[in-house]
Amino acid sequence: MPGLRRRRVGVLYAIEIKFLAGQAGAPMNWVPVILCGALGFGLVWIFLALIIRHCQSSKPVRDSDLHHTHQGQIPRVGGLGLVGAFIILELFIALVFPESYGHIPSRPAAALSCLAMFGLGFWDDLRPLGARRKLLAQIFIALLACYFGLQIELFKIPFTGRVIELGGWSCLVTTAWLVGITNVMNLIDGVDGLAGGIALMLMALLVYVGSQNGTYVLLTAGMTGALLGFLQYNFPPARIYLGDGGAYFLGFQIGLFSIIGSHKGSVVAALIAPLFVLALPIVDAALAILRRGLQGLPVFRPDRRHLHHRLLKSGMSRRQVVLAMYGVSLLFLFLGFAAFWSRGHLVPVLSGLAALILLLCAGKLNFSREWFAVGRTLGNSLALRREVQYALALTSWLKREGGRSPSLRSLFEDLVFAARRLGFTSVKLTLADGQRSWGDPERLRPRSFFRRELRSGRFGVLELGAPVCAHSTGVRHPNQLCPGPACPCVGDPRLFEIMSELLAEGWIAAAGRARPSRSQLRFDLKSDPGRSRSRDFWKTV
């Protein structure tokens, strides 16, 4: 075993010497790089123009949901253009530059796994799969990549020089890396141009990494050009979105190429550098998971409390939000270049600088007080858990009633029942053939309001009202603490927002079971409860 360890370490240093020789060697020919970048730009420009024209003459693939800031029925199939460019670029490189294509092992496996991840996301764009199913499928695709040898095998601690052989942990670490990068890229796809711009920065970083060690430089250059072409259509106001397919494809591609560029972990700086560019999205995703867990919500449930959502609520326009986040991400991009250029030796200093930038941004945007008020935030969040769990149970019941109600009129009565139990004082639902409303005359004023078009209006417009409780702290109060008929109440702004969105999600799911068609809902439409119950039964078998 000691002999094997010495041989592995010897191979590691041989790779490092070859890598450094490549840095100090003859200058690289940039003509093929520029040619591939121009080809990627032109391909995506043409593909997206054709896709947008086709979508304008047909129905959108999927309506926007409650948690996106997207306005209108804009197609979410931009990933198709990127995948088309990716396939043609791979064929072009194989035919025109075979010396660059053939020396990279497992290249077909890498391409097929990227396409498989796109297929998973595109399937979800066509028909939502659910968070757990998507996560399991992502893990399966990442494990397939590991099976074909695309994994992190070594890890060298940059500031000590110690080499860690991952051994049996290699597959676990690689899967966590690939699935994590894929989902972070999908989480930031909430504002026009944001995910595409950050992916462009990461691809540019991977072009530099590939130019130093000879891995995927032409393909990453082509995808950089493709992302530039995509942003021509995606920058605010967007005419097309990435969709889950495009976001999964880019995230998995970036994670996989960074593993290959790091020589399976021996050049650890190639793995660390992309983390700097993704520092802001990673912190945002970690806070979102912590927030949902503390509030009793499913950790994979989307919400409208990400950083870009909060910037939009502060009064900034979409373009201002995207440009502001571009500026911060560019600072982290320079840190990523520095981490790779220094072969990881400057990582401690750069990490401290990144933390300082994050704190300065938090203070500038008035987020620092909330971030540092850990005790108060924890106590308030825990106080919401009981109410949120009760709301989840009620909305789950409402979803199941969708398969039993004989008509949408009857289902509206179930919606009112759930709203009353949650403490709302008024409900108004507008469908294609009119509107129905309910209100408690003793609890009408003052109120907080929620109004949202559901699935681009196909599932109606839902309006909810609730009293503003002077004693509200995010939990229900006994009547002796909150006198009058306005108890229990959802007057706390955070609780009102969560309850409103949960109730709206419950109605969408219930109405989808009662009338699973793409036509607009109407109160006079009859459902087929027998067929719906049969469908639900076979789903559970």
Side-chain angles (χ1 to χ4, degrees):
M1 290 301 294
L4 177 61
R5 182 178 295 275
R6 283 195 296 270
R7 285 196 296 272
R8 293 292 295 272
V9 174
V11 170
L12 168 66
Y13 286 117
I15 291 174
E16 268 202 307
I17 291 171
K18 182 179 178 181
F19 170 71
L20 294 175
Q23 283 187 318
M28 181 179 176
N29 182 10
W30 288 96
V31 174
V33 176
I34 297 173
L35 179 61
C36 288
L39 177 61
F41 180 89
L43 288 172
V44 168
W45 181 279
I46 295 171
F47 287 159
L48 292 185
L50 295 175
I51 291 171
I52 292 173
R53 182 178 299 177
H54 173 74
C55 290
Q56 286 174 345
S57 60
S58 61
K59 294 180 179 179
V61 173
R62 179 179 163 189
D63 302 306
S64 60
D65 57 34
L66 288 171
H67 311 289
H68 284 93
T69 62
H70 306 155
Q71 295 179 339
Q73 295 186 345
I74 297 176
R76 300 183 63 225
V77 291
L80 278 175
L82 294 173
V83 167
F86 173 84
I87 294 172
I88 294 178
L89 282 167
E90 277 284 81
L91 295 174
F92 176 77
I93 295 169
L95 293 174
V96 180
F97 304 104
E99 68 283 356
S100 298
Y101 184 89
H103 78 281
I104 301 176
S106 303
R107 185 156 187 160
L112 289 175
S113 58
C114 290
L115 293 175
M117 190 62 77
F118 166 76
L120 172 65
F122 190 66
W123 188 358
D124 185 62
D125 287 325
L126 296 173
R127 186 180 297 275
L129 295 173
R132 292 183 181 179
R133 293 179 181 176
K134 288 189 291 185
L135 180 62
L136 289 175
Q138 289 171 358
I139 292 173
F140 178 74
I141 295 171
L143 288 174
L144 282 180
C146 293
Y147 176 78
F148 287 105
L150 302 168
Q151 54 186 308
I152 304 170
E153 298 176 351
L154 301 169
F155 187 81
K156 179 183 177 183
I157 301 176
F159 21 91
T160 65
R162 181 186 175 190
V163 177
I164 300 175
E165 296 184 27
L166 297 178
W169 294 95
S170 173
C171 204
L172 179 62
V173 172
T174 304
T175 300
W177 171 266
L178 292 174
V179 173
I181 298 294
T182 299
N183 284 290
V184 166
M185 187 59 62
N186 188 47
L187 283 173
I188 61 177
D189 185 27
V191 178
D192 305 356
L194 182 57
I198 292 180
L200 173 64
M201 298 178 197
L202 285 163
M203 281 295 177
L205 177 62
L206 290 174
V207 171
Y208 177 71
V209 171
S211 69
Q212 301 301 310
N213 55 29
T215 57
Y216 281 107
V217 60
L218 297 183
L219 182 58
T220 52
M223 292 306 298
T224 302
L227 284 166
L228 276 174
F230 173 75
L231 285 176
Q232 299 293 316
Y233 296 94
N234 186 241
F235 194 76
R239 285 179 282 171
I240 195 169
Y241 297 131
L242 271 176
D244 287 351
Y248 285 4
F249 175 69
L250 290 175
F252 190 82
Q253 198 176 42
I254 289 165
L256 198 61
F257 290 172
S258 60
I259 291 175
I260 298 170
S262 70
H263 292 288
K264 300 185 178 181
S266 59
V267 185
V268 71
L271 287 175
I272 295 176
L275 292 179
F276 280 99
V277 184
L278 290 170
L280 194 60
I282 288 173
V283 170
D284 187 32
L287 290 175
I289 292 173
L290 178 63
R291 177 177 66 248
R292 294 165 194 163
L294 291 176
Q295 293 176 349
L297 292 166
V299 294
F300 298 112
R301 176 186 179 272
D303 58 28
R304 295 175 64 88
R305 297 191 64 192
H306 288 287
L307 176 60
H308 48 269
H309 292 126
R310 300 184 64 172
L311 291 176
L312 287 171
K313 288 183 180 179
S314 70
M316 297 176 66
S317 67
R318 282 175 168 74
R319 183 165 293 190
Q320 290 172 333
V321 169
V322 170
L323 291 177
M325 297 193 74
Y326 279 0
V328 177
S329 297
L330 276 173
L331 292 177
F332 287 114
L333 177 64
F334 293 140
L335 297 183
F337 274 113
F340 182 76
W341 175 78
S342 68
R343 304 193 306 279
H345 295 302
L346 293 178
V347 166
V349 176
L350 296 173
S351 298
L353 186 57
L356 179 61
I357 293 172
L358 286 173
L359 292 176
L360 290 175
C361 292
K364 186 70 174 177
L365 298 172
N366 298 321
F367 294 160
S368 56
R369 291 183 180 180
E370 181 177 341
W371 287 7
F372 287 114
V374 178
R376 176 174 56 83
T377 302
L378 180 62
N380 291 344
S381 296
L382 292 176
L384 296 174
R385 288 184 63 87
R386 186 176 65 177
E387 297 304 307
V388 170
Q389 292 294 326
Y390 181 68
L392 287 171
L394 267 180
T395 53
S396 178
W397 165 82
L398 179 61
K399 294 173 186 177
R400 284 165 174 77
E401 284 299 306
R404 296 171 53 87
S405 296
S407 66
L408 290 183
R409 288 194 183 95
S410 176
L411 189 59
F412 175 75
E413 295 175 2
D414 296 328
L415 173 67
V416 169
F417 173 80
R420 293 183 64 180
R421 297 297 299 171
L422 292 177
F424 291 97
T425 56
S426 67
V427 180
K428 183 164 72 173
L429 180 66
T430 305
L431 299 183
D433 60 339
Q435 67 180 28
R436 287 181 173 268
S437 60
W438 165 84
D440 187 340
E442 297 181 354
R443 301 169 61 187
L444 291 181
R445 294 180 182 277
R447 286 190 294 172
S448 301
F449 290 97
F450 170 93
R451 186 183 186 278
R452 195 69 53 81
E453 288 190 3
L454 307 179
R455 294 287 173 88
S456 304
R458 280 201 311 111
F459 283 71
V461 178
L462 179 64
E463 299 176 63
L464 301 170
V468 177
C469 180
H471 300 277
S472 178
T473 59
V475 298
R476 294 177 188 259
H477 296 275
N479 287 337
Q480 62 267 26
L481 295 181
C482 186
C487 285
C489 68
V490 287
D492 181 88
R494 290 177 304 153
L495 184 60
F496 178 79
E497 180 181 4
I498 293 172
M499 297 291 197
S500 302
E501 291 189 352
L502 287 175
L503 196 59
E505 291 170 4
W507 167 258
I508 291 173
R513 288 188 175 188
R515 187 68 181 177
S517 66
R518 293 197 62 85
S519 60
Q520 285 192 326
L521 295 181
R522 303 169 60 90
F523 285 110
D524 59 4
L525 291 177
K526 302 292 184 180
S527 62
D528 186 354
R531 181 171 58 86
S532 298
R533 283 197 295 272
S534 176
R535 184 178 68 251
D536 294 339
F537 170 78
W538 287 110
K539 282 184 178 180
T540 62
V541 173

